[in-house]
Amino acid sequence: MSALFDLPERRRVLPGEYPLWDEALALVNRDLAVTLPAQGPLQLLGLPSYDEGVAEYVYVALANGEWHGSVVDPDSSDTAVLALTAIAEAAQETVTECLWQAWPVCDEHDLGMHPRGADGQLSWWCAGGNIRREPAHIRAAVGDLASLVRPPRPHHNRRDG
Ligand SMILES: [Zn+2]
């Protein structure tokens, strides 16, 4: 009977098992790579489900396998916008709680942002600056934080013509 007390078997979800979650996680991982480059990509972990009708519980975990927070809503796996919302929220919870830091952070206001639908796409929303009374704003679409970062460019000595 000792098996009763064993930790449930967890497994790494393979690419293609949940295609929309894969796509969503790829977008979120782009944002992670540009904001926390020391972190490896997030991954999906599966654990046995105790609900009839749910094959397994899936979590968004750090590259080292740690995760925190809620199961990814199983009903989100076949609708793109729901999938991205569920994955972004789960990723944020795992990164924030496991690494003890707000993520992702708005560079303008130094505030943690949250996923919100805007103009038909899921975006990172910042509450704005209380002190300077700046309004809430949308920073970038989820997956598009890299567009805000301007990496230092090597100086080329261009010799045109
Ligand atoms: Zn902001």
Side-chain angles (χ1 to χ4, degrees), residues 17-65:
E17 291 186 76
Y18 305 98
L20 292 181
W21 286 351
D22 287 345
E23 287 177 27
L25 195 63
L27 283 176
V28 173
N29 273 331
R30 283 173 52 179
D31 286 344
L32 187 72
V34 75
T35 51
L36 297 176
Q39 288 293 316
L42 302 167
Q43 56 177 314
L44 299 179
L45 284 185
L47 271 82
S49 153
Y50 304 104
D51 290 336
E52 285 194 38
V54 178
E56 65 181 344
Y57 297 132
V58 173
Y59 296 85
V60 176
L62 299 178
N64 68 7

Side-chain angles (χ1 to χ4, degrees), residues 26-110:
L27 283 176
V28 173
N29 273 331
R30 283 173 52 179
D31 286 344
L32 187 72
V34 75
T35 51
L36 297 176
Q39 288 293 316
L42 302 167
Q43 56 177 314
L44 299 179
L45 284 185
L47 271 82
S49 153
Y50 304 104
D51 290 336
E52 285 194 38
V54 178
E56 65 181 344
Y57 297 132
V58 173
Y59 296 85
V60 176
L62 299 178
N64 68 7
E66 285 181 60
W67 83 88
H68 192 279
S70 314
V71 63
V72 178
D73 179 2
D75 293 335
S76 72
S77 67
D78 48 14
T79 308
V81 66
L82 296 182
L84 184 54
T85 304
I87 292 291
E89 287 175 350
Q92 176 168 50
E93 201 167 357
T94 285
V95 171
T96 301
E97 296 298 329
C98 292
L99 302 181
W100 288 64
Q101 62 183 92
W103 180 83
V105 171
C106 172
D107 293 333
E108 290 176 24
H109 300 113
D110 202 26

